[in-house]
Amino acid sequence: MKPEELLQQLQHHPDFLKLTLAHPDFLPFASYQLENGTQIQIWDTGVIYCLPKQFGTQDIVLSSGVHGNETAPVELCSELLNDVLAEKLLLKERVLFLFGNPPAINAGVREIQDNLNRLFSGHHSKEPGVQSAERERAKKLETYVLKFFDEAPQGLRERKLYDLHTAIRGSRFEKFAVYPFLHGENWSKTQFEFLKACGANTVLLMQTPASTFSYFAAQSCKAHGFTIELGKVRPFGQNDMSRFTQAASALRALISGGELYTTEFNEADFNLYEVRRSINKATEAFTLHFADNIENFTTFDVGTLLASDEGVEYKVEVEGEAIIFPNPKVAIGQRAMLMVKPVSVAGKVS
């Protein structure tokens, strides 16, 4: 597709997701200006930069579709973007919209070959000779995000990346966020308040570096980076979008300068957890010993057998230990489950 053809389609039918899915491997660079003065730049398939004529001090990345079968965040972000392109929503901040894995979105699968959300912070290149479309995409997404932040005006600015997901299984707390490891820095009070405004008052505080998109944003870009889980995986057309109204309203207000309804941070309003241990899949013998409908954040009695692998059993070790992200289908060597426990952030929030 030529840039002029791309622009003609987008200007007549402002649906960037539709264009992305029709051209999942590549879209050429193209740019144009909306009548309200907002500059639109297409950097690649699934990557579109929006620069309003007048903007504030925030640089915001909204990411969805890093896992192709997590459709609700894709629909949510597409609706926000289409309103921008149709001039129904006037931006007041610089925004980069990303639809992470278009081929996987088209196929309705989590990934084509590699888990894209395990390939950031250079992990796309840590196995010499191993190639995949996801590895190339992770490398490009890193480049685009760095470019977006690096080209921001000088001065006191806030960098933010919200990577929106839905989980494979249900959760005791439908919406929750993963806060990347900050290497000893305090957690952000205002970010906790924003997460609560999105309906995600359950937060998992990571304790080690990771290969996720949100950790890349936090450490490589010095941004506020979050993975936000908005519910359970469902196919396109089967999402009850009314369940995402709170998150959609908060994001809309954030990027447009609208009224953002937050309340003063109070730890008692949150369910806070930290990772106690990570259980990796070592062999194809890895098996979970609980039902597929057991939800994230479920606790079991001490001593309960949770999983086994070749020559090893994983049992509940302490009272209150809960499961999250159990997935026996991951590749060998990858995380198959996290064990988490409640935690306090008293004295560690600023």
Side-chain angles (χ1 to χ4, degrees):
M1 174 178 280
K2 296 179 180 179
E4 55 270 23
E5 295 172 338
L6 171 59
L7 291 179
Q8 185 177 30
Q9 285 196 37
L10 196 58
Q11 288 172 308
H12 283 83
H13 303 283
D15 189 336
F16 183 65
L17 175 62
K18 184 176 180 179
L19 270 174
T20 286
L21 298 184
H23 303 274
D25 299 313
F26 173 75
L27 281 176
F29 177 87
S31 65
Y32 69 105
Q33 181 173 299
L34 301 179
E35 289 186 8
N36 62 26
T38 300
Q39 295 286 337
I40 303 297
Q41 293 182 359
I42 295 145
W43 290 359
D44 196 349
T45 186
V47 183
I48 187 167
Y49 169 46
C50 306
L51 176 66
K53 187 175 182 180
Q54 295 181 320
F55 53 87
T57 59
Q58 300 180 83
D59 305 308
I60 302 164
V61 179
L62 295 184
S63 166
S64 63
V66 165
H67 293 140
N69 62 342
E70 298 176 8
T71 59
V74 174
E75 293 183 45
L76 188 159
C77 288
S78 179
E79 182 177 343
L80 286 178
L81 174 58
N82 289 347
D83 281 353
V84 172
L85 298 178
E87 301 191 61
K88 297 177 182 178
L89 179 66
L90 178 63
L91 292 179
K92 293 295 179 68
E93 305 291 353
R94 298 173 70 245
V95 183
L96 182 67
F97 286 90
L98 303 177
F99 299 102
N101 196 340
I105 297 173
N106 274 338
V109 296
R110 185 175 173 85
E111 67 246 7
I112 300 298
Q113 185 173 339
D114 287 313
N115 183 346
L116 181 56
N117 209 27
R118 296 293 177 271
L119 295 175
F120 294 100
S121 298
H123 285 260
H124 48 70
S125 302
K126 288 191 175 180
E127 296 179 63
V130 178
Q131 296 181 330
S132 71
E134 273 99 354
R135 290 174 184 271
E136 288 302 312
R137 183 66 168 176
K139 191 184 304 183
K140 288 180 179 179
L141 291 178
E142 287 183 351
T143 300
Y144 297 140
V145 171
L146 286 168
K147 170 183 168 68
F148 172 71
F149 287 133
D150 289 346
E151 291 183 353
Q154 297 297 313
L156 293 175
R157 305 190 61 79
E158 280 196 296
R159 297 179 169 190
K160 300 175 179 179
L161 181 144
Y162 301 111
D163 186 28
L164 309 182
H165 288 254
T166 48
I168 293 173
R169 62 179 65 213
S171 175
R172 284 180 58 207
F173 314 110
E174 183 180 51
K175 297 174 178 62
F176 61 95
V178 181
Y179 206 143
F181 181 49
L182 297 185
H183 296 264
E185 295 183 14
N186 279 358
W187 314 106
S188 169
K189 172 177 170 290
T190 57
Q191 289 303 295
F192 275 121
E193 293 167 353
F194 177 73
L195 292 174
K196 185 169 180 282
C198 289
N201 68 330
T202 297
V203 184
L204 175 59
L205 307 170
M206 300 301 288
Q207 303 300 311
T208 58
S211 53
T212 60
F213 204 9
S214 58
Y215 178 81
F216 166 77
Q219 292 306 306
S220 298
C221 305
K222 304 306 177 188
H224 294 295
F226 293 88
T227 304
I228 303 180
E229 302 281 353
L230 293 175
K232 188 176 179 181
V233 168
R234 288 181 174 84
F236 280 118
Q238 295 185 25
N239 294 300
D240 177 1
M241 297 308 291
S242 68
R243 304 189 72 84
F244 307 98
T245 300
Q246 197 172 352
S249 297
L251 291 169
R252 184 177 294 264
L254 180 71
I255 63 179
S256 67
E259 187 70 32
L260 184 57
Y261 297 99
T262 61
T263 56
E264 184 75 15
F265 174 73
N266 181 348
E267 184 173 318
D269 295 333
F270 289 80
N271 306 302
L272 301 176
Y273 291 83
E274 68 177 6
V275 176
R276 184 173 183 273
R277 53 185 170 138
S278 178
I279 296 174
N280 292 348
K281 178 178 178 177
T283 75
E284 290 298 342
F286 183 87
T287 304
L288 296 177
H289 292 278
F290 49 85
D292 289 342
N293 62 353
I294 295 296
E295 298 181 319
N296 286 314
F297 296 102
T298 295
T299 58
F300 301 85
D301 292 336
V302 173
T304 300
L305 178 64
L306 298 175
S308 60
D309 210 331
E310 193 171 295
V312 62
E313 292 184 337
Y314 299 101
K315 299 181 180 182
V316 177
E317 294 180 345
V318 298
E319 187 175 350
E321 196 174 33
I323 62 166
I324 192 171
F325 299 136
N327 182 7
K329 297 180 181 179
V330 298
I332 290 175
Q334 289 193 359
R335 183 193 77 201
M337 183 165 60
L338 288 176
M339 302 303 300
V340 302
K341 64 176 183 178
V343 67
S344 170
V345 293
K348 300 177 183 177
V349 175
S350 60

